[in-house]
Amino acid sequence: MLRITKQTDYGIVLLSHMAAEPERLFNAPELAEAAGLPLPTVSKILKMLARDGLLDSHRGAKGGYCLVSAPEEISVAEIIFSLEGPIAMTECIDDGPGECQQEGSCPLQANWQLINTAVRQALQGISLRQMAGPMGPQLVQLASRSAHSSLQP
Amino acid sequence: MLRITKQTDYGIVLLSHMAAEPERLFNAPELAEAAGLPLPTVSKILKMLARDGLLDSHRGAKGGYCLVSAPEEISVAEIIFSLEGPIAMTECIDDGPGECQQEGSCPLQANWQLINTAVRQALQGISLRQMAGPMGPQLVQLASRSAHSSLQP
DNA sequence: GTAAATAGAACCATATCGGTACTATTTTCT
DNA sequence: AGAAAATAGTACCGATATGGTTCTATTTAC
Ligand code: FES
Ligand code: FES
């Protein structure tokens, strides 16, 4: 269906929330509470974002996460890339260069790259700031969103 | 993983093949043979494309499919739309307007539409002609592509 | 040293994808 | 009229991916 996963959806919601106070340190329980999402899920998402360098993590008591860059500097492409893996439209492409034996002679590869880069550029053109604003810092209560069925136990 | 499905991959390959002779009538067995794909799969894909108006179908003996429009007029967005359903990035959006109760007050919806339209426009900017060319009419043998495992019995 | 937090991996139920099979309908040809 | 060849539509099943949880280890504040 060419849709992003829920994890990415949640991830952008969480980051949007953090973007309201870019300097502040947020911990996972706090964000889970704010978004109405289960803690383990939020935790998992934040871990991924930290692993890929979008968030700085501080362990231990009083730990938490904070944005590495300003919301204007973060593109949704980076977020999606972190949470879904590379944006690859065909198997031969995301297997990495050299993986496919047909590479030299494959007539479609270059054209697929056309699509890939078009989508990538489209996503790179949208910043976290744009996603967060202009609605202000209030956080949407995900728990009440229609299609999200079994979120909280 | 934000990847298109194999069906769409195959669909574009088949349409690229047809784009080489836009006037000609192709039947499913012929295309299956040419692409090295199993007939049922090819059939299924062509049915979908015909259902959504990208192909004209002629039933009966000597029947087959042909492109409705010139390859320049067909965007990959239409193809993906036909084979994967609507390009919807969040559940609330592709449930259709009115489906979600929060719609009036949801601060993220407008921003998601931003992403959706960005991607859609990126895909609309690429035509079937661009995907088919400039390599000429030779058809890639899908059966030998690395990642496509169990295609022919 | 204890509590609170992140890091990382493993796990499982469920939904989606990939591919097949079967029946019905339409058209051509003899 | 009847047989053959093709599309239309639906239902089905195994394999894979997703969504979410749980457990253990590690780090830091107090
Ligand atoms: S690169 Fe693998 S088949 Fe084209
Ligand atoms: S439109 Fe459904 S929660 Fe935003």
Side-chain angles (χ1 to χ4, degrees), chain A residues 2 4-5 8 48 51-52 76-97 113 116-117 119-120 123, chain B residues 1-4:
Chain A
L2 196 58
I4 63 173
T5 62
T8 304
M48 286 193 269
R51 166 176 48 76
D52 290 321
V76 295
E78 296 177 77
I79 304 172
I80 293 177
F81 193 95
S82 168
L83 262 25
E84 314 228 13
I87 298 174
M89 290 286 221
T90 57
E91 312 195 9
C92 287
I93 286 172
D94 78 328
D95 284 347
Q113 292 292 9
N116 264 336
T117 61
V119 171
R120 183 165 14 238
L123 294 176
Chain B
M1 174 92 71
L2 197 58
R3 68 168 15 147
I4 63 172

Side-chain angles (χ1 to χ4, degrees), chain B residues 110-127:
Chain B
N111 311 55
W112 275 113
Q113 292 292 8
L114 203 66
I115 293 189
N116 264 336
T117 61
V119 171
R120 180 161 20 234
Q121 284 176 1
L123 295 176
Q124 278 171 345
I126 302 177
S127 71

Side-chain angles (χ1 to χ4, degrees), chain A residues 1-4 6 9 12-13 16 76 80 84 86-92 94-95 100 102 106-108 110-112 114-115 118-119 122-123 126 130-133 135 138 140 144-148, chain B residues 1-4 6 9 12-13 16 76 80 84-92 94-95 100 102 107-108 110-112 114-115 118-119 122-123 126 130-133 135 138 140 144-148:
Chain A
M1 174 91 72
L2 196 58
R3 67 167 17 147
I4 63 173
K6 287 191 186 183
D9 184 356
I12 293 186
V13 171
S16 297
V76 295
I80 293 177
E84 314 228 13
I87 298 174
M89 290 286 221
T90 57
E91 312 195 9
C92 287
D94 78 328
D95 284 347
C100 173
Q102 308 290 317
C106 171
L108 282 180
N111 312 55
W112 274 113
L114 203 66
I115 293 188
V119 171
L123 294 176
I126 302 176
Q130 287 174 280
M131 284 303 285
M135 289 72 176
Q138 85 272 23
V140 57
S144 55
R145 289 172 77 177
S146 68
H148 303 201
Chain B
M1 174 92 71
L2 197 58
R3 68 168 15 147
I4 63 172
K6 286 193 185 183
D9 184 358
I12 293 186
V13 171
S16 296
V76 294
I80 293 177
E84 315 227 16
I87 299 174
M89 291 285 224
T90 58
E91 313 195 9
C92 287
D94 76 329
D95 285 345
C100 173
Q102 308 289 319
L108 282 180
N111 311 55
W112 275 113
L114 203 66
I115 293 189
V119 171
L123 295 176
I126 302 177
Q130 289 174 276
M131 284 303 284
M135 289 74 176
Q138 85 273 26
V140 57
S144 56
R145 290 173 75 179
S146 70
H148 302 202

Side-chain angles (χ1 to χ4, degrees), chain B residues 10-29:
Chain B
Y10 299 161
I12 293 186
V13 171
L14 295 172
L15 288 173
S16 296
H17 185 54
M18 298 177 73
E21 299 171 83
E23 307 296 317
R24 206 181 118 204
L25 203 64
F26 296 83
N27 62 33

Side-chain angles (χ1 to χ4, degrees), chain A residues 68-79:
Chain A
V68 166
S69 321
E72 296 79 20
E73 307 292 313
I74 304 174
S75 72
V76 295
E78 296 177 77
I79 304 172

